[in-house]
Amino acid sequence: MRINITSVPVDDQAKALAFYTEKLGFIKKTDEPAGGARWLTVVSPANPDGVELLLEPDGHPAAGPFKSALVADGIPFTQFAVDDVYAEVERLKGLGVEFTQDATDLGPVVTAVFDDTCGNLIQLAAMKGSGSTMR
């Protein structure tokens, strides 16, 4: 068994695609009509045949309250791995990405949290000793 696709609920698929590709640097993998929405996935350019991230419409009635509660409590919906959280935060800030938590050393890991503009907080993380650059 393996993870093939995971998803993040988004309030606007076109806006999400622009953010996740133009700001975060993912590349579009699949874009097919799916009812009133799209089956829209992105992947890491470092692993284009790896796990896909589905930019899933958040139209279910439970999605809005769930996402709002997570954001209100400062809880990220998901996490992306990076080699150097400090460098990635600076790169993304230069592109206008807003952070709710700057790069923070938490002992074995460095994390940061940003707003994906589609109703979610997303965490960046790098484990120390995994080849990442720590400051």
Side-chain angles (χ1 to χ4, degrees):
M1 189 176 302
R2 67 186 188 282
I3 298 171
N4 183 48
I5 295 176
T6 189
S7 65
V8 62
V10 299
D11 56 15
D12 180 311
Q13 285 185 298
K15 180 174 72 171
L17 180 61
F19 182 85
Y20 279 76
T21 57
E22 296 168 15
K23 304 284 187 188
L24 301 186
F26 291 107
I27 55 176
K28 182 171 64 171
K29 175 88 175 196
T30 307
D31 188 355
E32 297 290 335
R38 298 152 65 184
W39 183 263
L40 182 59
T41 67
V42 296
V43 293
S44 167
N47 191 9
D49 294 320
V51 176
E52 297 177 48
L53 179 65
L54 175 63
L55 303 176
E56 188 165 13
D58 65 2
H60 188 280
F66 174 70
K67 286 172 54 175
S68 294
L70 289 178
V71 170
D73 289 344
I75 299 171
F77 184 82
T78 195
Q79 180 184 89
F80 299 143
V82 296
D83 291 330
D84 183 336
V85 173
Y86 297 99
E88 194 64 18
V89 167
E90 290 309 309
R91 183 186 78 80
L92 292 173
K93 282 184 175 181
L95 294 171
V97 175
E98 294 184 21
F99 281 78
T100 60
Q101 176 203 309
D102 278 325
T104 304
D105 188 325
L106 300 174
V109 66
V110 175
T111 66
V113 178
F114 66 86
D115 181 336
D116 79 347
T117 75
C118 301
N120 305 289
L121 297 178
I122 306 293
Q123 185 173 63
L124 300 177
M127 296 297 295
K128 291 182 182 176
S130 64
S132 59
T133 304
M134 296 295 117
R135 297 186 184 154

